[in-house]
Amino acid sequence: MPVTAQRAVGLRTVETVAGAAGVAVELAGKVVADPDASGRVQAPVAGRIEPGPRGLPVPGRTVTRGETLAWLVPTVTPIERGAQQARIAELDALIEVARARVGRYDQLAGSIPQRDIDQARSDLAGLERRRAALVDPLAARVPLVAPTSGVVSRVAMVAGQVVDARDLLLELGDPSRLMIEALAYDPRLARDIASASAQAADGSLVRLQWIGAAGELRQQALPLMFRVVPGPRLVAGMPVRLSVWTLRQHIGHTLPPSALARTASGEPVVWVKTAGERFEPRRVQARPLTADRLLVTGEIADGDRVVVTGASLLSQVR
């Protein structure tokens, strides 16, 4: 390629020097909520939804722990209500008898043992507590409270909706406290992790803190957990690509990804400048080091001038 053409396409080269570096392994991951800063609200019993003091929550609202988000009015079938009312009527009759007994014993105070009077009063109090326990569920509302402070991320209820017990009503979490779960198909990788990073949707680098690995395989892969260091905004459920650096050192040449080109058969090559206007392709193997660096090994040696800008254009020259 003539020198004038090289200048026109903006070819740039660097002199390679071999060195040792920790190789990064690329993994597919997913952003998940921190279990210590997220929670779910489920229906403890079957019932009907009613708005809370601030109305029904909507996605994006900030809530505090213990705040009442909505009310759940338990639903009672006609058969259950009839059975409860029958038990209440039976207890009412027993309470009337117990009150009459206490009244007679009070009039006979001093002529009968005190323990009999105390026992009658205790029986009356017990019957009244049993009646109150049956009456309260018929009219009481169950508060649905936030289990933790955070931002509402999902709402699955509306006013008047009838839900069953254990139905998921809403989810909330802290967007500033997230984690990333990645799957490693080589379990040995968990013993050699030194550091890790991920790339956000806007291309910015996200720093990660290594937490640990699960104790069992999931679909023939070992789940690895990383904590997101606060920085670029991520959203739970977002897929990400991770670069995990291991403690193992490899010898090679550090080059930017732009130095890598592909042959017609798809093999990775780099272009080496052997003379002023002469370039030769060299077959190589590349491993990621960082988001903007590769560790290249193969048919290159120290002192070779490798094209790092415009390498893809050289592959198109005929």
Side-chain angles (χ1 to χ4, degrees):
M1 178 178 284
V3 175
T4 55
Q6 297 179 33
R7 293 175 179 172
V9 299
L11 292 185
R12 296 291 183 272
T13 63
V14 296
E15 186 175 344
T16 58
V17 177
V23 174
V25 179
E26 286 193 351
L27 300 176
K30 181 178 69 173
V31 181
V32 297
D34 189 336
D36 289 332
S38 60
R40 295 179 174 178
V41 177
Q42 295 177 271
V45 295
R48 185 181 70 258
I49 299 297
E50 290 187 356
R54 297 171 56 193
L56 289 178
V58 295
R61 176 191 290 183
T62 301
V63 299
T64 57
R65 182 175 183 177
E67 178 183 349
T68 300
L69 305 177
W71 296 97
L72 181 66
V73 180
T75 55
V76 181
T77 64
I79 295 178
E80 294 173 339
R81 183 178 295 273
Q84 282 185 321
Q85 290 175 346
R87 289 196 294 269
I88 291 173
E90 180 182 352
L91 287 173
D92 285 340
L94 295 176
I95 289 173
E96 290 298 328
V97 174
R99 285 175 179 171
R101 183 183 300 113
V102 170
R104 290 195 305 271
Y105 283 2
D106 288 341
Q107 294 175 358
L108 298 174
S111 60
I112 61 174
Q114 183 63 35
R115 65 174 179 273
D116 292 342
I117 299 176
D118 295 339
Q119 182 63 42
R121 291 175 178 172
S122 177
D123 293 342
L124 175 60
L127 291 171
E128 290 176 342
R129 286 194 297 268
R130 289 174 57 187
R131 187 185 187 283
L134 288 174
V135 172
D136 289 345
L138 295 177
R141 298 187 302 177
V142 179
L144 301 175
V145 301
T148 183
S149 299
V151 177
V152 177
S153 58
R154 178 187 175 191
V155 178
M157 61 179 178
V158 295
Q161 178 181 352
V162 177
V163 298
D164 292 328
R166 293 180 293 185
D167 279 357
L168 178 62
L169 303 180
L170 60 86
E171 296 181 359
L172 52 91
D174 188 346
S176 64
R177 297 178 59 182
L178 297 172
M179 302 174 69
I180 291 181
E181 180 187 70
L183 298 178
Y185 289 91
D186 183 2
R188 297 174 298 178
L189 178 63
R191 300 193 299 266
D192 298 330
I193 294 178
S195 60
S197 67
Q199 194 168 14
D202 59 357
S204 57
L205 198 63
V206 180
R207 292 185 298 144
L208 303 177
Q209 178 184 356
W210 166 240
I211 297 177
E216 60 181 0
L217 298 179
R218 182 196 306 167
Q219 298 178 352
Q220 305 305 315
L222 185 66
L224 308 178
M225 297 302 299
F226 302 86
R227 190 179 305 279
V228 176
V229 178
R233 181 173 176 81
L234 299 176
V235 180
M238 176 188 296
V240 294
R241 296 293 301 181
L242 279 72
S243 296
V244 179
W245 287 273
T246 64
L247 299 175
R248 290 170 287 183
Q249 297 289 313
H250 297 263
I251 304 297
H253 300 83
T254 302
L255 295 172
S258 58
L260 206 63
R262 297 282 177 176
T263 63
S265 60
E267 294 180 322
V269 297
V270 296
W271 288 91
V272 177
K273 187 174 185 178
T274 58
E277 297 182 348
R278 183 175 179 81
F279 300 87
E280 293 182 358
R282 305 282 177 86
R283 291 183 175 86
V284 295
Q285 296 81 39
R287 298 180 179 181
L289 283 178
T290 64
D292 57 351
R293 305 299 289 177
L294 298 174
L295 185 68
V296 179
T297 57
E299 299 176 354
I300 55 176
D302 288 355
D304 286 345
R305 300 203 64 84
V306 177
V307 178
V308 295
T309 302
S312 59
L313 298 175
L314 284 174
S315 301
Q316 300 176 17
V317 175
R318 296 292 182 269

